[in-house]
Amino acid sequence: MFKKVRTRFAPSPTGYMHIGNLRTALYAFLIARKNKGDFILRIEDTDCKRKVEGAEDLIYKSLKEAGLFWDEGPDLGGNYGPYVQSQRMHLFKDYALKLVEAKKAYRCFCNKERLDRIKNLQMAAKEPPKYDGHCKHLTEEEINEKLKNNEPYVIRQRMPQIGVTEFCDEVFGKVSVKNSELEDQILIKSDGMPTYNFANVIDDHLMEISHVVRGSEYLSSTPKYNLLYEAFSWDIPKYIHCSPVMKNKTQKLSKRHGDETFEDLLNLGYLPQAVVNYIALLGWSPKGEREIFSLDELIDVFDVSGICKSPAIFDIKKLAAINAKYIRNMSDEEFLKRATPFLNKAFSRDVDEKILVEILKQRTENFKDLEEQLDFIEKLPSYDTDLFVSKKMKTTKEGSLEVLKKVLEVVKNIKDFSLNSVHDAVCSLVEELGVKNGVVFWPLRVALSGKQFTPGGGLELCVLLGREESISRLEKAIEKLS
């Protein structure tokens, strides 16, 4: 039996971290930390065609930004290395040959032409394509002759033909497969390289992985894995298969189809801790109604029994709502620090930072949106005077013109240009005119921003822009409406 809980995250360096991959890493991390175990990072880089330069560094960066720090890995080392699959190539064929000696695997010399012919015949007969086991009946003499002639071969797993292979998944429960349905899968390819399935089993065993977290698409392959463990008389790990993260009811979330990666979400202004919080809830249900958890709190409450069988649908609106809650819990200093790179893209004008934080912090769902929301600060955009007309506020162009003339005089006479002073002065005007707030505030907002909707109202915008800029914009609006 396993001495302690050890989980692993074994990504391929093929680009940015997609959401499903990060969720796998998160669940593996939480299981390890919950049980005082080890979380291992292993890089599976043997698929040269899909390997992307610099992707390994992106994996490190993404995991660190998410707070998922590993105990062993390529950069840290450990007692079970190397932790990069391409550096372990000397191991796999030796294990495959042990299975050949034990009659649990065999050399297959079938060429592509024969395999294609068999596949076409099976498909014509409406049978599922499957290797017919031709080479497992070769005699020793026939095998030796082919080896002597240097005929290329693969090594296939010898599957039992009768009985059932069963295993218990922590999410899906008991899974049974008839052995007669299992194909003699390839373990070692003709170039000597291991297949993904075989290398995974060998590496997981040698690294003493006790819990394997992966996508539910591997459920059908798991009986083959277990037969390999049994062939070597090795302990079988616990399996946690997770249903996919979906874009909608029919489409998987996929970075190949342009869906956001973890890095994309950070660039869009979502906080890493909010993204991790949301990803935890994609297919896992905590007990109770609570949905906001720090990473340490997730470690405390996470339980595999809460993982759902059904696919989870990624909802950007739900992520935004969670992100907004994290933003509201920030200190003003931290908020401004996080927002500044996005604010700098929106405007370069000096503004009252206190007012800026006051109007933004309670209204912000992600920082990227600030660029579009606040672009009017740098330069008043071109706008149509129809914006001054609002049925809800009961404003007209003519009425807005008269109101703005009076607001301009009020603003010019404010000595202490603070929010309290501006508020008192403009509200006194509202009272003097005997109208509802919106009759004054709506045209004031439009005049200062050229927009119907802004993060703050007209009073805040006045203070944010300052006396001179506010006066200038009010005069331009009056000119437009005249």
Side-chain angles (χ1 to χ4, degrees):
M1 294 299 292
F2 296 100
K3 297 174 185 176
K4 66 184 299 189
V5 170
R6 286 173 60 83
T7 66
R8 50 79 168 168
F9 177 53
S12 298
T14 56
Y16 290 104
M17 183 86 69
H18 64 79
I19 299 305
N21 230 6
L22 184 60
R23 185 187 64 172
T24 297
L26 174 61
Y27 288 179
F29 173 87
L30 294 175
I31 291 168
R33 292 289 177 265
K34 176 92 173 181
N35 294 281
K36 312 299 181 187
D38 297 326
F39 175 57
I40 293 89
L41 174 61
R42 186 173 76 221
I43 303 296
E44 300 191 341
D45 63 341
T46 53
D47 189 345
C48 297
K49 292 181 181 178
R50 295 181 62 221
K51 188 174 179 180
V52 174
E53 188 69 29
E56 190 172 323
D57 291 333
L58 286 173
I59 291 169
Y60 299 148
K61 181 174 180 285
S62 294
L63 290 176
K64 288 176 180 177
E65 286 176 326
L68 309 184
F69 295 95
W70 51 99
D71 302 296
E72 301 168 24
D75 56 335
L76 298 179
N79 297 326
Y80 300 85
Y83 295 89
V84 178
Q85 200 168 68
S86 60
Q87 298 171 14
R88 303 172 64 84
M89 288 299 102
H90 60 286
L91 298 168
F92 304 116
K93 192 165 184 179
D94 288 344
Y95 278 99
L97 290 174
K98 287 180 182 179
L99 292 178
V100 172
E101 291 172 12
K103 304 298 182 184
K104 301 290 185 179
Y106 60 92
R107 295 179 177 87
C108 173
F109 298 90
C110 292
N111 57 31
K112 186 178 184 301
E113 289 71 26
R114 182 182 186 279
L115 294 174
D116 287 344
R117 187 169 66 254
I118 295 299
K119 180 180 179 181
N120 290 335
L121 288 171
Q122 290 171 334
M123 292 180 71
K126 296 184 178 179
E127 297 174 357
K130 175 183 172 185
Y131 179 61
D132 63 353
H134 172 75
C135 286
K136 67 182 172 186
H137 303 298
L138 294 176
T139 64
E140 287 298 321
E141 291 75 16
E142 289 173 317
I143 293 171
N144 290 332
E145 182 65 23
K146 290 179 180 292
L147 291 174
K148 184 179 177 181
N149 294 332
N150 292 319
E151 290 189 33
Y153 66 89
V154 300
I155 296 178
R156 289 184 181 271
Q157 184 178 358
R158 189 187 295 269
M159 296 296 180
Q161 293 302 298
I162 59 173
V164 173
T165 296
E166 297 179 343
F167 72 96
C168 186
D169 181 75
E170 298 294 303
V171 177
F172 287 85
K174 184 178 178 181
V175 179
S176 302
V177 178
K178 292 180 181 178
N179 291 332
S180 59
E181 297 175 359
L182 299 176
E183 183 177 20
D184 290 356
Q185 68 174 341
I186 296 173
L187 306 179
I188 301 292
K189 294 178 277 190
S190 58
D191 60 2
M193 294 285 283
T195 57
Y196 173 84
N197 289 341
F198 186 57
N200 254 262
V201 169
I202 302 302
D203 284 344
D204 283 348
H205 167 72
L206 294 178
M207 293 183 181
E208 298 186 10
I209 302 302
S210 64
H211 294 65
V212 173
V213 183
R214 61 184 175 214
S216 58
E217 65 268 24
Y218 292 104
L219 265 174
S220 60
S221 301
T222 303
K224 300 176 184 179
Y225 294 162
N226 286 357
L227 288 169
L228 285 172
Y229 280 107
E230 291 172 2
F232 285 116
S233 299
W234 293 342
D235 290 334
I236 298 175
K238 287 186 177 181
Y239 294 108
I240 299 96
H241 286 92
C242 303
S243 293
V245 179
M246 307 291 286
K247 184 175 186 174
N248 50 48
K249 290 182 179 180
T250 59
Q251 291 178 294
K252 273 188 180 183
L253 204 66
S254 170
K255 62 181 178 182
R256 294 183 194 176
H257 297 142
D259 295 318
E260 284 87 357
T261 64
F262 178 57
E263 196 72 15
D264 290 333
L265 292 175
L266 300 190
N267 291 335
L268 287 171
Y270 293 97
L271 298 167
Q273 58 268 43
V275 177
V276 168
N277 188 154
Y278 177 61
I279 287 174
L281 302 175
L282 283 175
W284 171 73
S285 299
K287 295 176 181 177
E289 299 300 317
R290 184 181 172 190
E291 61 179 11
I292 302 298
F293 299 93
S294 69
L295 191 56
D296 285 341
E297 289 169 336
L298 281 173
I299 292 170
D300 289 337
V301 302
F302 186 77
D303 194 291
V304 170
S305 64
I307 298 177
C308 310
K309 295 179 184 179
S310 303
I313 295 178
F314 183 84
D315 183 351
I316 195 72
K317 291 182 179 178
K318 181 66 175 177
L319 171 59
I322 288 176
N323 198 60
K325 291 179 181 178
Y326 273 84
I327 288 174
R328 290 183 196 116
N329 287 329
M330 286 178 157
S331 66
D332 290 352
E333 294 76 15
E334 186 183 2
F335 173 84
L336 193 59
K337 181 180 177 182
R338 287 276 191 175
T340 293
F342 298 93
L343 297 175
N344 288 341
K345 292 179 182 179
F347 61 88
S348 57
R349 182 188 299 276
D350 288 334
V351 297
D352 187 319
E353 290 184 348
K354 183 179 179 182
I355 296 296
L356 191 66
V357 172
E358 188 172 319
I359 66 174
L360 292 180
K361 188 175 167 187
Q362 298 302 316
R363 298 176 174 92
T364 300
E365 289 192 335
N366 71 70
F367 292 111
K368 180 70 176 176
D369 287 350
L370 297 179
E371 294 177 27
E372 184 177 344
Q373 292 173 359
L374 300 174
D375 57 357
F376 69 88
I377 293 178
E378 183 70 15
K379 182 181 178 182
L380 183 65
S382 175
Y383 64 89
D384 194 290
T385 54
D386 287 342
L387 292 184
F388 288 101
V389 179
S390 170
K391 288 184 179 180
K392 183 178 180 181
M393 299 299 175
K394 297 181 179 179
T395 60
T396 63
K397 292 182 185 180
E398 296 77 11
S400 294
L401 174 60
E402 296 308 313
V403 163
L404 289 178
K405 287 178 180 178
K406 289 181 168 55
V407 170
L408 177 60
E409 293 308 311
V410 167
V411 170
K412 284 181 176 180
N413 290 321
I414 299 173
K415 295 180 180 179
D416 171 24
F417 215 72
S418 65
L419 185 56
N420 285 337
S421 297
V422 172
H423 174 274
D424 291 346
V426 176
C427 285
S428 292
L429 175 63
V430 171
E431 188 175 343
E432 178 187 323
L433 295 174
V435 295
K436 291 187 176 181
N437 288 346
V439 173
V440 174
F441 291 171
W442 182 267
L444 176 58
R445 181 205 299 266
V446 174
L448 295 176
S449 68
K451 298 186 177 192
Q452 288 182 317
F453 304 105
T454 56
L459 301 179
E460 291 93 346
L461 298 188
C462 237
V463 180
L464 195 63
L465 292 168
R467 180 200 301 273
E468 299 308 317
E469 184 64 20
S470 295
I471 290 172
S472 173
R473 294 190 181 193
L474 285 167
E475 289 174 341
K476 288 177 182 176
I478 291 168
E479 185 179 344
K480 266 179 172 285
L481 288 165
S482 297

